[in-house]
Amino acid sequence: MSQTKCISVNAEMGEGFAVEAVLGEHRVVIDQPVAARGTGLGPTPLEYFLFAIAGCIGTIGRIAAMQQKIELRGMKIAVAGDYNPAGLLGKPSEDRTGFQQIRIEAEIDADMSDAEKKVFLDEICERCPLHDNTRLETSVVHSLKD
């Protein structure tokens, strides 16, 4: 039987769009650009989401490289997603609100052939929890606090 580990985040929003949280030893802020009536104090939630996927792939890449004794000098991970903003603005839309597609492109700096890099990237993505959560259906439950 596998064990699970719970990770939780507590965030708070005041008067504007800025949402703040303390994650470990880090204070982070999500906001909207000034042009969208935010204060520009931090990236948008969608940018953080895509960055989290890139960060997870990089982290798993480092772990896998250490396990396989691959000298991974570095990785560049580009993550892009397409969404229709109508839904989040409360406007009618035929599309779902979230990303329609997320594209991940990685450059792997290691002494490996392109075929070996492809296998390595496939393994990384298979092991990445955030890649898993975006690729497969994940139950999300929301409620009001008593």
Side-chain angles (χ1 to χ4, degrees), residues 5 7 43 45-46 52 111 115 130 140:
K5 180 179 179 180
I7 296 175
L46 299 178
D111 295 327
L130 294 180
V140 179

Side-chain angles (χ1 to χ4, degrees), residues 6-7 24 27 44 71 91 94 114 123 127 140-141 146:
C6 179
I7 296 175
R27 179 185 162 275
T44 69
E71 184 187 341
K91 297 178 181 177
E94 297 289 320
D114 286 347
E123 178 189 339
R127 292 172 57 172
V140 179
V141 179
D146 293 333

Side-chain angles (χ1 to χ4, degrees), residues 13-109:
M13 181 181 73
E15 291 183 22
F17 283 102
V19 178
E20 297 184 35
V22 176
L23 308 179
E25 300 172 6
H26 309 281
R27 179 185 162 275
V28 296
V29 179
I30 287 176
D31 201 355
Q32 294 296 314
V34 174
R37 301 170 80 187
T39 54
L41 293 174
T44 69
L46 299 178
E47 291 167 331
Y48 256 123
F49 182 82
L50 296 178
F51 175 56
I53 294 171
C56 192
I57 288 170
T59 300
I60 299 300
R62 179 64 66 201
I63 291 168
M66 289 174 16
Q67 290 171 336
Q68 297 173 31
K69 300 192 181 354
I70 295 169
E71 184 187 341
L72 178 62
R73 290 181 290 274
M75 288 179 70
K76 292 181 182 177
I77 304 126
V79 182
D82 303 316
Y83 79 104
N84 181 340
L88 70 86
L89 295 172
K91 297 178 181 177
S93 175
E94 297 289 320
D95 297 328
R96 50 185 271 227
T97 305
F99 289 115
Q100 306 298 308
Q101 182 184 60
I102 296 173
R103 293 172 303 284
I104 300 165
E105 186 175 72
E107 288 182 50
I108 299 171
D109 185 4

